[in-house]
């Protein structure tokens, strides 16, 4: 990869040649808007993939999904501080722009948007987007300010990038639900696409946080997918009682070393309210700590 020799911080648009391909990096909000306005003038559709970087195959699948619906694709990389709680991993969240650019090399991304923290949240910043009900379930219980941070940054990025479609991973089921609701409530003219979870060969859902895991913890992390699969099998065998299913999933997970459970829930696929019995498709969602790393996963289960 060859960087055009210029100072990245002062440059508004940086052109990077990677393996003969050109990727433009925009860090300036005004430039990003101008680029999108120009694309819209040509009546081309803009697909948007917001990320926090440290990309993996799951992110690449979101880019490919965006390309199915749009002529141009913007990928943003911004580790958003407002969605991390005070004792969470904001400062140690993995960051490596060069590695990310190499990952998107073959994906025909048109713009990598890397807005700075001081531009998105300048001194005196005070506006947040808060949903009433969806954030009160699942991850929102142990991460009470998380979805307020997500809804806020996604709103800001939507306003800047002005895409026609935006793609999010189904691994963050609750995030997708929150964003779809927010788009409807705030009248954004953006189609939200949920893309299936991409898994490692042993079933672990891909996540930038998987890099925190030691080899032994990596083995324990397979317990999330195993418990989801086993629950689906038990439902097919006719077990409908949610407590029985959750107890069984707990046993599977706690059988592995260094695991502790934040939550295991079987809930309504729309409202995320707890279910008691399984008579319709339901969402099983779980958050498990393996060592200090908090992992999430989910699956829609069918009776
Ligand atoms: O899913 C993520 O990576 C983040 O929550 C998002 C949507 C990029 C907002 O910071």
């Amino acid at each position: 990869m060859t960087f055009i020799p210029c100072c990245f911080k002062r440059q508004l648009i940086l052109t990077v040649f990677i393996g003969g391909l050109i990727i433009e990096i925009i860090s300036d909000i005004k430039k990003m808007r101008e680029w999108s306005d120009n694309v819209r003038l040509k009546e081309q559709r803009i697909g948007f993939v917001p990320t926090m970087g440290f990309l993996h195959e799951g992110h690449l699948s979101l880019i490919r999904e965006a390309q199915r619906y749009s002529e141009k694709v913007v990928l943003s990389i911004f580790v958003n501080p407002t969605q991390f709680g005070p004792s969470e991993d904001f400062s140690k969240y993995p960051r490596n722009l060069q590695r990310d650019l190499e990952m998107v090399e073959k994906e025909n991304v048109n713009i990598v948007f890397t807005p700075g923290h001081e531009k998105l949240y300048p001194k005196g910043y005070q506006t947040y987007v808060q949903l009433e009900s969806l954030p009160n379930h699942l991850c929102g219980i142990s991460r009470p300010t998380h979805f307020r941070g997500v809804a806020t940054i996604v709103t800001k990025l939507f306003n800047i990038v002005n895409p026609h479609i935006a793609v999010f991973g189904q691994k963050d089921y609750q995030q997708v639900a929150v964003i779809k609701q927010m788009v409807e409530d705030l009248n954004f003219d953006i189609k939200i696409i949920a893309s299936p979870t991409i898994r490692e060969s042993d079933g672990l859902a891909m996540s930038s946080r998987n890099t925190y895991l030691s080899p032994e913890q990596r083995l324990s992390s397979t317990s999330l997918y195993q418990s989801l699969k086993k629950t689906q099998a038990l439902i097919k065998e006719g077990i409908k009682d949610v407590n029985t299913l959750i107890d069984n999933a707990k046993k599977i997970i706690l059988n592995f070393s260094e695991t502790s459970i934040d939550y295991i829930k079987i809930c309504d696929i729309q409202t995320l309210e707890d279910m008691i019995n399984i008579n319709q498709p339901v969402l099983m969602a779980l958050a498990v700590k393996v060592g200090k790393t908090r992992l999430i996963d989910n699956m829609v289960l069918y009776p």
Side-chain angles (χ1 to χ4, degrees):
M1 177 170 78
T2 327
F3 280 93
I4 294 269
C6 61
C7 170
F8 179 40
K9 284 222 166 89
R10 275 191 229 129
Q11 202 72 12
L12 298 182
I13 302 186
L14 178 75
T15 307
V16 178
F17 290 108
I18 307 172
L21 289 170
I22 296 177
I23 301 181
E24 280 191 311
I25 306 173
I26 298 182
S27 52
D28 184 69
I29 290 174
K30 194 161 161 265
K31 285 284 165 208
M32 186 65 246
R33 281 192 209 287
E34 282 170 12
W35 183 90
S36 292
D37 288 349
N38 277 329
V39 172
R40 280 180 171 262
L41 274 177
K42 290 183 211 144
E43 296 193 356
Q44 293 184 324
R45 272 164 310 173
I46 301 169
F48 180 40
V49 180
T51 79
M52 298 208 296
F54 216 74
L55 305 178
H56 49 69
E57 199 52 43
H59 294 112
L60 302 188
S61 77
L62 305 183
I63 295 171
R64 289 169 204 147
E65 193 68 9
Q67 280 159 347
R68 291 181 54 211
Y69 296 89
S70 49
E71 283 85 20
K72 300 279 186 207
V73 171
V74 177
L75 173 98
S76 69
I77 299 178
F78 178 67
V79 184
N80 172 38
T82 62
Q83 68 189 77
F84 290 80
S87 58
E88 293 180 10
D89 56 344
F90 172 66
S91 56
K92 84 171 214 251
Y93 196 84
R95 295 159 169 92
N96 189 335
L97 182 59
Q98 175 144 349
R99 176 188 173 280
D100 288 343
L101 293 175
E102 283 165 10
M103 295 267 314
V104 295
E105 177 186 342
K106 294 191 190 72
E107 302 298 329
N108 277 332
V109 168
N110 299 92
I111 298 290
V112 176
F113 180 44
T114 57
H117 175 263
E118 60 297 338
K119 289 280 163 29
L120 284 176
Y121 295 110
K123 200 162 172 281
Y125 185 88
Q126 43 185 306
T127 305
Y128 293 89
V129 178
Q130 174 84 53
L131 283 81
E132 276 190 2
S133 153
L134 282 171
N136 303 335
H137 305 281
L138 308 179
C139 289
I141 294 169
S142 53
R143 306 186 75 192
T145 56
H146 174 67
F147 290 107
R148 170 186 187 256
V150 169
T152 301
I153 191 65
V154 172
T155 298
K156 287 165 73 64
L157 292 170
F158 281 177
N159 282 332
I160 297 165
V161 175
N162 196 11
H164 296 83
I165 65 125
V167 187
F168 295 85
Q170 195 75 30
K171 193 201 80 167
D172 298 297
Y173 189 102
Q174 190 174 13
Q175 172 169 280
V176 176
V178 162
I179 290 164
K180 281 186 171 165
Q181 185 68 47
M182 178 188 90
V183 161
E184 200 176 318
D185 292 349
L186 299 184
N187 307 99
F188 279 109
D189 189 13
I190 301 172
K191 182 177 167 60
I192 302 301
I193 293 160
S195 193
T197 304
I198 304 295
R199 298 180 180 282
E200 303 287 356
S201 54
D202 58 6
L204 174 64
M206 288 196 186
S207 161
S208 307
R209 289 191 170 96
N210 293 352
T211 52
Y212 298 151
L213 301 167
S214 70
E216 200 184 345
Q217 292 168 345
R218 175 65 188 76
L219 195 69
S220 296
S221 66
T222 59
S223 62
L224 283 83
Y225 187 62
Q226 284 184 32
S227 69
L228 290 167
K229 293 283 282 180
K230 181 68 186 172
T231 308
Q232 175 65 87
L234 291 174
I235 292 172
K236 291 272 181 230
E237 282 167 27
I239 299 179
K240 290 189 167 186
D241 177 57
V242 163
N243 285 334
T244 311
L245 293 165
I246 290 180
D247 282 347
N248 201 281
K250 268 186 193 156
K251 276 187 202 132
I252 294 174
I253 290 165
L254 295 176
N255 223 358
F256 284 82
S257 66
E258 291 191 65
T259 52
S260 59
I261 291 164
D262 178 353
Y263 67 80
I264 302 179
K265 292 277 183 187
I266 293 182
C267 55
D268 184 274
I269 54 174
Q270 305 272 344
T271 64
L272 310 183
E273 306 272 356
D274 287 352
M275 305 286 290
I276 298 166
N277 272 302
I278 315 243
N279 298 312
Q280 64 199 65
V282 289
L283 174 74
M284 178 164 173
L286 61 164
V288 174
K289 271 195 161 182
V290 181
K292 286 191 177 139
T293 306
R294 188 175 176 280
L295 302 174
I296 58 170
D297 204 345
N298 68 77
M299 201 180 265
V300 176
L301 307 174
Y302 298 88

